[in-house]
Structures are given as C-alpha cells and as structure tokens.
C-alpha cells in the first residue's frame, strides 16, 4: 500500500499515512489531532546499476529509432 507524507501547518509535525491510491487526496489529521495538514511531494530514490546487456538494446546503441535502429547509412 502506498505511503503518503504530510506536514501539519499548526505544529509543523511531519508524518506518513498508508492508504490506497484511491484515497490519496483525502485529508489526514496529524498525530497531535490538528486537521490543517498538507500533503508533501515525496522524492523517490532508486539505486543500482545496469550493464548495457541488461538495460536492453537501446542502451547498447541499437534497436530504437532511426539512428539506433540501423536504418541510417
């Protein structure tokens, strides 16, 4: 289930709420009971590396579009 981050405008507390995507826009009360909260935009970090072979033919310089597909002379 997705987690959404909120911040209370009254006390400044940041907190997370787990809820279905269908309820992503629903208001959330802070743990202190205040109702004036705002949903924060969370950055997602994805780590790791990929070799050209595992990234697919486009990453290896072929297989996509005119210049990468070999249709140009």
């Amino acid at each position: 289930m997705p987690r959404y981050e909120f911040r209370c405008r009254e006390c400044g507390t940041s907190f997370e709420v787990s809820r279905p995507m269908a309820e992503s826009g629903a208001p959330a009360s802070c743990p202190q009971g205040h109702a004036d909260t705002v949903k924060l935009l969370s950055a997602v970090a994805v780590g790791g590396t990929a070799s050209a072979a595992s990234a697919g033919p486009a990453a290896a310089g072929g297989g996509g579009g005119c210049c990468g597909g070999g249709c140009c002379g």
Side-chain angles (χ1 to χ4, degrees):
M1 190 171 313
R3 300 177 83 179
Y4 300 95
E5 189 174 6
F6 290 84
R7 183 175 61 233
C8 178
R9 290 182 177 163
E10 288 189 47
C11 66
T13 300
S14 292
F15 59 98
E16 291 183 346
V17 176
S18 294
R19 58 171 59 155
M21 289 179 73
E23 298 175 15
S24 66
S29 294
C30 90
Q32 306 302 318
H34 306 124
D36 189 11
T37 61
V38 63
K39 188 166 94 171
L40 303 177
L41 179 63
S42 299
V44 177
V46 178
T49 60
S51 68
S54 66
C66 181
C67 295
C71 63
C72 299

